[in-house]
């Protein structure tokens, strides 16, 4: 597994910048506050299922793709601490 980008980075680089949209204009179009969208773009918040639907409508994408990007990002982050987890293997004979 590689280090996937935060979905906010994808929004910024693949949608806002090419469309020359400000965070304020994009937030208004999405029906969310500027603060909410800014937190996502800066990697301080994740993509909720509702936000995934909003993004899918605005950018003609699937909500699943946004949720999957968020899950991949979070899983990769969690995997970085795998060795620190205190877990016993439970297997059947």
């Amino acid at each position: 597994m590689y280090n996937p980008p935060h979905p906010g980075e994808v929004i910024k680089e693949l949608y806002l910048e090419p469309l020359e949209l400000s965070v304020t204009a994009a937030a208004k179009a999405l029906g969310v506050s500027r603060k909410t969208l800014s937190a996502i773009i800066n990697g301080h918040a994740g993509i909720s299922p509702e936000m995934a639907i909003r993004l899918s409508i605005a950018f003609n994408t699937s909500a699943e793709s946004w949720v999957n990007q968020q899950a991949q990002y979070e899983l990769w982050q969690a995997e970085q601490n795998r060795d620190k987890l205190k877990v016993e293997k439970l297997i059947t004979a």
Side-chain angles (χ1 to χ4, degrees), residues 82 84-90:
R82 176 185 277 270
K84 297 175 186 170
L85 299 175
K86 304 288 186 217
V87 179
E88 291 182 36
K89 288 191 178 194
L90 302 172

Side-chain angles (χ1 to χ4, degrees), residues 18-72:
L19 294 171
E20 298 181 359
L21 281 173
S22 67
V23 174
T24 303
K28 183 177 179 184
L30 290 166
V32 298
S33 71
R34 183 190 188 291
K35 182 178 178 181
T36 296
L37 185 56
S38 180
I40 292 170
I41 289 172
N42 291 310
H44 300 299
I47 303 290
S48 67
E50 181 182 307
M51 180 59 78
I53 293 169
R54 290 174 184 274
L55 292 167
S56 74
I57 294 167
F59 299 126
N60 196 31
T61 57
S62 72
E64 292 84 359
S65 69
W66 293 106
V67 171
N68 287 337
Q69 286 179 53
Q70 185 65 43
Q72 288 174 0

